């Protein structure tokens, strides 16, 4: 079988295995597939407590059914996977039921959703045998290099397994540090710029926010932007250009970037980014100062004094994809914290999904379904935008896979990828003392002009109620951009 | 309405105009023809010649000979031309030529004449008195703060002054739907729409872009930009500071030094934007620096950046900014103190013509070379003033020194551009005098854009040539 279940091997033999895509074999799982694929580093070993080994089933020495976590106990089990050899790739007796159940009914286009939902249900119901069977089946069909269903299956299965074994935190940390090891300024830049070239996913938010910021900064001479975003300052060159060309008196701009990803290798990347930004600002003729603040942990514990705000400057706060990293019960507090700085404008860009998977059965299922839906939208959008063999898309998918691991596999208090709907954010903002600022006609025109430069399938929606605008991908809202001012 | 009317020589044009308060300096006698439709036109000024006007304020303006030389440049009209000042209303009026018979208005005189034929006028009235040759005319801008408001900077073409007025002082009513740029003049908008989206932007690294926004983002992070070295930032430090318009007398002293352009050694600093696309030289604009008197030592001594930025892959411990002064603002007091708050402001880049920007670059380049002596010798205010008078003509006003400076820089600028063939400057074809920063960021080429948006997936390879 694959590394998912034999990670105790912890060596490289499975790393170089051949890969066959399971995309074409969505129907039958009785064929022998070798789906070796490897992206996780060898650290992903799981340790089982000794006394449980004896109770493991004879067919499946890999984990004991007794080890399924009950979600309301906080014991953190480490599972040791025994050193038995990889399983045979034939259908075991137990799995016949599941195979029979699904082999005729799986639709070719979203089988992953069906299977994964079933697996989630089995997990929520504590139906261990059924869960095992489903996971086995999913594993057969999973591959990060296959069709969308295979990919989703791969990442979700991994997350479900981590949830099941309560190893979400460590797995997530492992995945993150693995990615951080290969992360450089160049790789980050190339990835982001390529993504922005082929898809308006991030540029939509940039254009909308910049428009709101320029409107708010109109006539001011000293500007300070506090940036909490996950796009590594790719938003700002266009704003610098706008400042340079659209103002009569070029104002001074201070940019304070706050990073929240901790030890992800972002320090060195941000330093280089800062250098580039300063140079570019010089080129544009904008007096500019750049400052990075590294913050670890929940953003709601951020110390505002680190911003070093001045009384004579006009402040804009920009949240792009980072509000979701705050734990649910701290979000309102964070927003009111920023209300106290009294910014001229506060911009929010977030992805439109409700990823509250809660801790227990019913909530978990509902949240899980939503995650399935959301990540499918994202993967499909990536698939549409990038060419078939794009390395960048693979990187982005892996990043999404880490997000899946975070939402599904980790405990809610540690989770940093829990997206929330625009409506919920709107309520929070209103409750924290903010009022929505309408994005101007020019801003909307800019956004529409932006979308015209991409492949078709994207549009803008201005909701009747609430605030902000949505990026729509074929009638599905995917990204929400809004601007706020203190009341 | 008061009219101390004036006539254009003695030709009986239907567009006789009347003068108003602006005609205070006019000395013509009041003559009103029967063809005046004074509800159509507001008064205008007519002067017999520029020279006479100049004589009235001769301490402000140079002699006519100098003006004559510069006749062909925009805003330097034929000194013998009649200067006409139309009001904004007149200027914007679309139907200035009115048929005396039926009061129908036309945009052009030719159209009106064509129309008049239809009235079957008796032969005599049909003819226009063309005995006197049409005198050359120049028009001034009605906006008092505009440099073209003064007769010495009048524009020779009616359409020209109309467009100028719209562009600079008018409301921008026309918008490009592709990129949402707005224009006051319809023909500008049309012209832009034709090229919008078809234009290509070239980065110093050689990559072409069809989209301006992705070009800008690319440029900001491009390694080619990073190659900019310390002397450029040092140059920036020596550039524009607070323009000081209170010492016009100092101008003449100051003009000497900055205009000794050292082209050979300053090649890279004097190239602006994409004039030199063949050169790998970075392009830049001198910018306001809060500490103009101090060349940033950290940037001068900045170690040469390797092209391949292979940063250590290990995660660093909690990042401590090693050199706070470099990234964080310098002493806030300095920063604040030097910030212009008196209303005298930095010349905005987009108001500057190409020639002015080049001139500024040259100025800056020179100062860098002579950092020690020049800097100590010059008051930054003076330097600032010079550059501002060079570039930002709108605010200089017509003080005695400025015109001299302007003309002087014109001459030097033309030399600089290679128009007189004296200098060997690799420039991009003919440079339009009113090219602005935005257009200077673009370059029209015909090369295919690479599919990967300019960045090869193989990382450092793409930057090997930068």
């Amino acid at each position: 079988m694959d590394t998912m279940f034999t990670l105790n091997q912890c060596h490289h033999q499975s790393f170089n295995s051949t890969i066959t895509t399971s995309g074409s074999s969505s129907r039958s799982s009785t064929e022998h597939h070798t789906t070796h694929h490897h992206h996780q580093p060898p650290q992903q070993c799981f340790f089982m407590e000794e006394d449980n080994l004896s109770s493991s089933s004879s067919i499946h020495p890999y984990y004991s059914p007794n080890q399924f976590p009950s979600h309301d106990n906080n014991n953190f089990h480490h599972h040791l996977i025994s050193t038995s050899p990889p399983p045979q790739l034939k259908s075991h007796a137990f799995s016949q039921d599941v195979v029979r159940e699904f082999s005729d009914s799986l639709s070719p286009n979203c089988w992953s959703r069906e299977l994964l939902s079933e697996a989630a249900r089995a997990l929520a119901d504590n139906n261990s045998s059924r869960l095992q069977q489903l996971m086995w089946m999913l594993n057969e069909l999973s591959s990060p290099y296959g069709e969308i269903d295979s990919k989703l299956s791969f990442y979700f299965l991994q997350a479900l397994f981590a949830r099941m074994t309560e190893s979400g935190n460590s797995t997530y940390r492992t995945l993150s540090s693995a990615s951080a090891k290969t992360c450089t300024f160049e790789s980050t830049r190339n990835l982001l710029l390529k993504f922005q070239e082929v898809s308006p996913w991030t540029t939509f938010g940039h254009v909308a926010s910049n428009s709101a910021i320029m409107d708010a900064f109109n006539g001011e001479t000293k500007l300070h932007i506090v940036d909490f975003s996950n796009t590594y300052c790719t938003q700002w060159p266009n704003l610098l250009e706008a400042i340079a060309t659209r103002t009569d008196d070029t104002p001074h701009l201070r940019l304070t970037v706050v990073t929240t990803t901790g030890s992800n290798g972002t320090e060195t990347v941000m330093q280089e980014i800062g250098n580039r930004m300063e140079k570019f600002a010089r080129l544009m003729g904008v007096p500019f100062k750049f400052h990075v603040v590294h913050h670890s942990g929940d953003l709601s514990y951020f110390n505002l004094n680190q911003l070093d705000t001045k009384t004579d400057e006009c402040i804009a706060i920009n949240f792009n994809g980072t509000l979701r990293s705050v734990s649910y019960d701290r979000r309102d507090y964070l927003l009111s914290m920023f209300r106290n700085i009294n910014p001229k404008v506060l911009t929010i860009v977030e992805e439109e999904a409700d990823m509250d998977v809660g801790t227990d059965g019913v909530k978990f299922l509902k949240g899980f379904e939503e995650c399935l839906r959301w990540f499918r939208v994202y993967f499909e959008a990536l698939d549409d935008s990038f060419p078939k063999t794009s390395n960048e898309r693979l990187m982005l998918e892996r990043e999404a896979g880490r997000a899946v691991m975070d939402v599904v596999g980790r405990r809610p208090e540690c989770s940093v990828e829990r997206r929330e709907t625009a409506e919920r954010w709107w309520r929070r903002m209103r409750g924290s003392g903010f009022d929505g600022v309408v994005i101007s006609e020019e801003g909307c025109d800019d956004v529409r002009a932006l979308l015209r430069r991409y492949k078709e399938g994207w549009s803008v929606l201005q909701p009747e109620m609430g605030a902000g605008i949505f990026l729509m991908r074929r009638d599905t809202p995917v990204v929400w951009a809004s601007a706020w001012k203190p009341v | 309405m008061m009219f101390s009317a004036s006539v254009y020589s003695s030709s009986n044009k239907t567009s006789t105009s009347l003068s108003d308060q602006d005609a205070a300096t006019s000395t013509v006698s009041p003559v009103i023809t029967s063809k005046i439709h004074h509800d159509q036109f507001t008064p205008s000024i007519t002067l017999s010649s520029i020279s006479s006007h100049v004589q009235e304020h001769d301490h402000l303006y140079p002699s006519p000979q100098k003006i004559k030389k510069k006749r062909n440049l925009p805003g330097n009209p034929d000194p013998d031309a009649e200067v006409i000042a139309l009001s904004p209303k007149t200027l914007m009026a679309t139907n200035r030529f009115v048929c005396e018979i039926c009061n129908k208005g036309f945009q052009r005189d030719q159209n009106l004449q064509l129309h008049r034929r239809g009235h079957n006028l008796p032969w005599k009235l049909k003819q226009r008195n063309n005995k006197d040759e049409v005198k050359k005319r120049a028009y001034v801008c009605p906006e008092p703060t505009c440099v073209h408001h003064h007769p010495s900077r009048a524009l020779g073409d009616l359409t020209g002054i109309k467009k100028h007025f719209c562009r600079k002082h008018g409301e921008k009513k026309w918008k490009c739907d592709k990129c949402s740029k707005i224009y006051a003049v319809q023909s500008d908008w049309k012209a832009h729409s034709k090229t919008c989206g078809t234009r290509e932007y070239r980065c110093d690294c050689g990559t072409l872009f069809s989209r301006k926004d992705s070009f800008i983002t690319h440029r900001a992070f491009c390694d080619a930009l990073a190659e900019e070295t310390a002397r450029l930032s040092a140059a920036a430090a020596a550039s524009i500071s607070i323009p000081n318009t209170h010492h016009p007398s100092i101008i003449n002293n100051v003009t000497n030094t900055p205009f000794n352009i050292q082209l050979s050694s300053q090649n890279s600093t004097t190239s602006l934007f994409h004039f030199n696309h063949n050169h790998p030289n970075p392009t830049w604009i001198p910018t306001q620096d809060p500490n103009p008197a101090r060349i940033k030592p950290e940037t001068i001594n900045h170690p040469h950046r390797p092209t391949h930025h292979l940063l250590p892959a290990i995660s660093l411990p909690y990042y401590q900014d090693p050199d706070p002064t470099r990234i964080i603002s310098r002493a806030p007091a300095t920063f604040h103190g030097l910030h212009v708050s008196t209303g005298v402001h930095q010349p905005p880049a987009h108001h500057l013509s190409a020639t002015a920007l080049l001139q500024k670059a040259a100025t800056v380049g020179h100062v860098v070379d002579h950092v020690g002596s020049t800097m100590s010798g010059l008051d930054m205010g003076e330097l600032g003033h010079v550059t501002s008078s060079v570039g930002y003509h709108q605010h200089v006003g017509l003080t005695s020194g400025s015109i001299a400076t302007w003309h002087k820089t014109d001459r030097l600028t033309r030399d600089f551009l290679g128009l007189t063939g004296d200098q060997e400057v690799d420039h991009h074809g003919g440079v339009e005098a009113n090219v602005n920063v935005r257009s200077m960021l673009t370059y029209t080429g015909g090369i295919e854009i690479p599919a990967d948006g300019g960045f090869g997936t193989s990382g450092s390879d793409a930057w090997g040539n930068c």
Side-chain angles (χ1 to χ4, degrees):
Chain A
M1 208 133 127
D2 75 328
T3 51
M4 185 72 60
F5 295 102
T6 56
L7 293 169
N8 68 306
Q9 313 268 342
C10 289
H11 51 53
H12 301 268
Q13 73 175 32
S14 50
F15 290 41
N16 297 323
S17 314
T18 56
I19 295 161
T20 59
T21 64
S22 53
S24 52
S25 61
S26 55
R27 287 271 167 189
S28 159
S29 54
T30 52
E31 300 166 70
H32 301 322
H33 290 281
T34 313
T35 45
H36 289 267
H37 43 71
H38 178 72
H39 305 288
Q40 291 83 6
Q43 293 90 319
Q44 242 181 346
C45 288
F46 297 100
F47 298 88
M48 186 188 284
E49 288 168 28
E50 278 299 311
D51 53 348
N52 291 324
L53 269 173
S54 53
S55 58
S56 59
S57 101
S58 55
I59 301 174
H60 300 284
Y62 309 106
Y63 50 84
S64 159
N66 296 341
Q67 292 308 317
F68 279 81
S70 48
H71 296 278
D72 47 353
N73 83 37
N74 286 328
N75 291 335
F76 213 78
H77 299 282
H78 295 279
H79 301 273
L80 171 67
I81 300 188
S82 70
T83 52
S84 44
Q88 303 283 338
L89 285 172
K90 52 180 184 247
S91 65
H92 296 263
F94 79 100
S95 66
Q96 292 287 4
D97 309 321
V98 153
V99 169
R100 239 178 275 125
E101 178 184 345
F102 286 104
S103 58
D104 291 327
S105 64
L106 283 180
S107 60
N109 291 329
C110 58
W111 55 262
S112 64
R113 179 168 166 264
E114 296 174 35
L115 282 179
L116 287 165
S117 302
E118 289 296 324
R121 189 160 314 144
L123 181 57
D125 294 343
N126 248 336
N127 185 342
S128 58
S129 59
R130 185 170 169 75
L131 178 61
Q132 288 171 39
Q133 293 168 23
L134 285 164
M135 285 177 101
W136 184 89
M137 193 166 166
L138 279 163
N139 186 58
E140 293 294 297
L141 307 169
S142 298
S143 166
Y145 304 111
E147 298 294 315
I148 289 188
D149 282 285
S150 292
K151 293 182 201 179
L152 288 169
S153 171
F154 175 78
Y155 294 111
F156 273 90
L157 179 61
Q158 183 183 49
L160 276 175
F161 183 75
R163 187 181 184 90
M164 181 185 87
T165 55
E166 287 202 354
S167 53
N169 276 0
S170 56
T171 314
Y172 181 81
R173 272 196 297 271
T174 307
L175 291 171
S176 293
S177 58
S179 119
K181 279 193 169 59
T182 54
C183 161
T184 64
F185 165 73
E186 272 151 356
S187 65
T188 311
R189 172 195 67 188
N190 295 353
L191 177 64
L192 270 174
L193 291 193
K194 180 65 182 170
F195 188 27
Q196 291 173 0
E197 186 72 32
V198 301
S199 169
W201 197 277
T202 52
T203 47
F204 168 83
H206 289 174
V207 171
S209 299
N210 284 348
S211 161
I213 291 173
M214 284 301 285
D215 286 344
F217 277 167
N218 192 25
E220 300 280 345
T221 50
K222 287 191 72 179
L223 318 175
H224 185 185
I225 296 178
V226 183
D227 185 24
F228 299 89
S229 80
N230 58 4
T231 49
Y232 295 90
C233 294
T234 48
Q235 176 172 354
W236 307 121
N238 277 291
L239 184 83
L240 277 167
E241 193 262 348
I243 288 178
T245 57
R246 286 184 223 167
T247 58
D248 290 331
D249 301 331
T250 310
H252 291 74
L253 174 66
R254 249 180 93 197
L255 177 63
T256 303
V257 175
V258 181
T259 65
T260 52
T261 41
S263 63
N264 211 8
T266 37
E267 291 90 352
T268 41
V269 173
M270 283 317 299
Q271 186 178 12
E272 186 57 33
I273 287 177
N275 293 337
R276 304 296 173 108
M277 292 298 299
E278 285 175 335
K279 289 200 164 77
F280 185 72
R282 270 202 294 278
L283 177 72
M284 285 291 111
V286 177
F288 181 73
K289 279 172 192 52
F290 184 86
H291 185 213
V292 182
V293 175
H294 295 279
H295 176 81
S296 55
D298 195 301
L299 204 48
S300 58
Y301 295 103
F302 181 68
N303 181 2
L304 291 178
N305 292 329
Q306 292 185 278
L307 295 178
D308 190 29
T309 53
K310 312 265 189 274
T311 46
D312 60 343
E313 62 191 10
C314 182
I315 301 174
I317 307 182
N318 186 65
F319 285 102
N320 192 320
T322 45
L323 280 181
R324 68 180 79 133
S325 66
V326 181
S327 67
Y328 282 123
D329 53 357
R330 301 276 299 173
R331 288 182 184 185
D332 291 320
Y333 172 74
L334 174 104
L335 294 173
S336 46
M337 192 171 90
F338 282 102
R339 166 71 182 78
N340 292 335
I341 303 185
N342 204 30
K344 187 89 187 283
V345 68
L346 187 149
T347 51
I348 295 179
V349 176
E350 269 297 333
E351 295 178 349
E352 179 69 3
D354 179 8
M355 293 192 180
D356 191 357
V357 291
T359 49
D360 70 338
V362 170
K363 199 122 195 258
F364 169 67
L365 278 177
K366 190 163 161 290
F368 188 80
E369 292 283 331
E370 168 74 352
C371 286
L372 281 177
R373 179 200 72 86
W374 169 258
F375 284 100
R376 169 170 287 272
V377 168
Y378 183 60
F379 273 57
E380 280 178 355
L382 291 183
D383 204 47
D384 263 357
S385 306
F386 282 97
K388 278 295 160 208
T389 53
S390 162
N391 199 43
E392 286 86 9
R393 192 191 57 199
L394 182 61
M395 296 295 125
L396 291 168
E397 287 170 352
R398 280 188 198 161
E399 199 183 317
R402 288 195 289 280
V404 171
M405 172 63 68
D406 176 274
V407 179
V408 173
R410 287 175 99 185
R411 288 199 284 226
E413 55 270 21
C414 313
S415 187
V416 296
E417 297 276 0
R418 305 269 169 123
R419 292 143 171 86
E420 203 163 39
T421 56
E423 194 198 331
R424 289 258 209 93
W425 286 117
W426 178 78
R427 263 189 247 284
R428 290 190 195 274
M429 290 299 282
R430 299 279 295 157
S432 305
F434 286 95
D435 213 359
V437 174
V438 176
I439 295 189
S440 68
E441 262 315 298
E442 286 86 25
C444 290
D445 283 345
D446 283 342
V447 170
R448 274 186 278 264
L450 174 81
L451 294 188
R452 271 194 289 272
R453 294 180 222 138
Y454 289 100
K455 267 190 197 170
E456 55 171 29
W458 303 97
S459 58
V460 192
L461 176 75
Q462 222 158 355
E464 284 147 15
M465 269 211 53
I469 51 177
F470 288 98
L471 173 68
M472 306 286 285
R473 193 184 163 264
R474 298 187 213 288
D475 309 324
T476 308
V478 293
V479 179
W480 177 64
S482 61
W484 304 85
K485 62 174 191 278
V487 283
Chain B
M1 174 187 314
M2 259 276 284
F3 13 86
S4 52
S6 55
V7 197
Y8 307 132
S9 310
S10 48
S11 62
N12 287 337
K13 293 252 188 238
T14 51
S15 55
T16 316
S17 44
L18 312 161
S19 64
D20 65 352
Q21 299 89 312
D22 290 341
T25 53
S26 108
T27 52
V28 291
S29 56
V31 172
I32 304 167
T33 70
S34 58
K35 295 187 171 129
I36 292 172
H37 297 273
H38 41 262
D39 51 337
Q40 286 280 339
F41 307 109
T42 47
S44 73
I45 235 187
T46 298
L47 303 171
S48 49
S49 78
I50 280 189
S51 339
S52 66
H53 187 89
V54 167
Q55 273 147 26
E56 285 163 353
H57 310 272
D58 61 346
H59 65 281
L60 294 175
Y61 314 126
S63 57
Q65 286 87 4
K66 275 228 178 118
I67 298 179
K68 256 198 183 117
K69 245 194 234 172
K70 309 300 172 295
R71 209 160 72 208
N72 294 329
L73 288 182
N76 294 86
D78 179 354
D80 295 329
E82 292 195 45
V83 179
I84 300 164
L86 301 168
S87 75
K89 191 154 141 242
T90 321
L91 213 48
M92 301 299 288
T94 48
N95 300 331
R96 294 189 56 235
F97 300 93
V98 183
C99 173
E100 64 267 23
I101 309 212
C102 63
N103 263 353
K104 191 168 170 162
F106 295 90
Q107 283 207 35
R108 290 208 205 86
D109 192 37
Q110 303 94 299
N111 299 351
L112 171 64
Q113 295 311 319
L114 269 170
H115 159 84
R116 285 175 81 230
R117 283 198 226 154
H119 283 306
N120 296 319
L121 298 164
W123 184 86
K124 220 182 175 190
L125 284 173
K126 231 196 224 183
Q127 290 287 59
R128 277 147 49 125
N129 193 347
N130 281 329
K131 271 194 234 144
D132 301 277
E133 68 168 41
V134 179
K135 238 203 169 153
K136 238 192 151 63
R137 293 210 198 102
Y139 302 88
V140 288
C141 179
E143 174 62 39
T145 60
C146 182
V147 66
H148 292 295
H149 184 66
H150 195 274
S152 67
R153 297 300 314 279
L155 299 176
D157 179 48
L158 178 62
T159 317
I161 192 73
K162 277 171 143 176
K163 282 197 179 165
H164 156 82
F165 182 70
C166 278
R167 274 187 205 129
K168 287 278 168 58
H169 314 294
E171 182 203 336
K172 297 193 165 142
K173 294 183 281 197
W174 304 95
K175 181 169 197 162
C176 172
D177 56 354
K178 276 187 220 145
C179 71
S180 70
K181 258 181 142 178
I182 43 179
Y183 294 92
V185 181
Q186 188 183 15
S187 53
D188 290 346
W189 169 76
K190 269 196 189 156
H192 166 85
S193 301
K194 274 197 203 143
T195 59
C196 184
T198 65
R199 208 157 199 187
E200 278 153 4
Y201 303 87
R202 181 201 278 274
C203 177
D204 282 341
C205 69
T207 325
L208 272 176
F209 295 86
S210 60
R211 277 166 44 193
K212 187 175 176 191
D213 53 349
S214 45
F215 165 64
I216 286 176
T217 317
H218 164 98
R219 192 124 213 292
F221 292 106
C222 179
D223 292 341
L225 182 66
E227 300 267 296
E228 211 174 319
T229 57
R231 64 196 165 108
L232 292 177
S233 53
S239 73
I240 310 156
S241 68
I242 307 145
N244 187 345
T245 52
H246 300 308
H247 307 290
S249 54
I250 301 173
I251 294 181
N252 291 322
N253 299 337
V254 166
T255 49
N256 298 326
T257 1
F259 296 159
N260 284 337
I261 302 165
Q262 314 257 319
L263 285 178
S264 47
S265 59
Q266 297 290 334
N267 207 9
S268 56
T269 60
T270 54
S271 69
L272 259 180
F273 291 103
H274 296 279
F275 291 127
N276 299 349
H277 63 277
N278 288 327
H279 289 236
N281 294 317
T283 56
W284 68 293
I285 269 192
T287 179
Q288 301 91 324
D289 188 283
N291 258 334
R294 178 173 74 89
I295 312 293
K296 295 179 272 187
E298 56 275 82
T299 47
I300 281 193
N301 298 325
H302 200 88
H304 172 67
R305 294 187 171 284
T307 313
H308 307 291
H309 293 268
L310 288 177
L311 304 164
I314 46 167
S315 303
L316 297 179
Y318 192 91
Y319 179 75
Q320 299 289 330
D321 190 340
D323 186 359
T325 58
R326 201 174 99 69
I327 296 176
I328 306 177
S329 63
R330 293 150 202 93
T334 323
F335 180 66
H336 186 69
L338 282 175
H339 175 65
V340 179
S341 52
T342 56
V344 179
H345 54 270
Q346 310 291 355
H350 67 291
H351 279 174
L352 296 172
S353 65
T355 54
L357 278 167
L358 286 167
Q359 186 57 57
K360 241 202 289 182
T363 308
V364 168
H366 171 79
V367 172
V368 171
D369 247 11
H370 297 66
V371 160
S373 53
T374 311
M375 295 296 281
S376 58
L378 283 178
D379 173 47
M380 287 315 295
E382 299 161 25
L383 186 61
H385 179 43
V386 168
T387 51
S388 78
S389 73
V390 164
Y392 199 49
H393 43 267
Q394 290 197 10
H395 274 247
V396 165
L398 300 165
T399 55
S400 59
S402 63
I403 300 242
T405 312
W406 173 255
H407 291 303
K408 194 167 186 178
T409 57
D410 273 354
R411 174 171 60 76
L412 287 161
T413 307
R414 292 196 343 188
D415 291 345
F416 183 68
L417 283 176
L419 292 175
T420 57
D422 291 341
Q423 306 280 359
E424 195 151 82
V425 175
D426 184 357
H427 67 278
H428 177 60
V431 177
E432 258 186 15
N434 60 349
V435 163
N436 61 14
V437 167
R438 263 169 288 191
S439 52
M440 292 212 299
L441 275 174
T442 68
Y443 170 69
T444 305
I447 310 173
E448 215 177 293
I449 302 157
D452 63 358
F455 293 120
T457 50
S458 53
S460 49
D461 280 353
W463 306 111
N465 299 327
C466 291

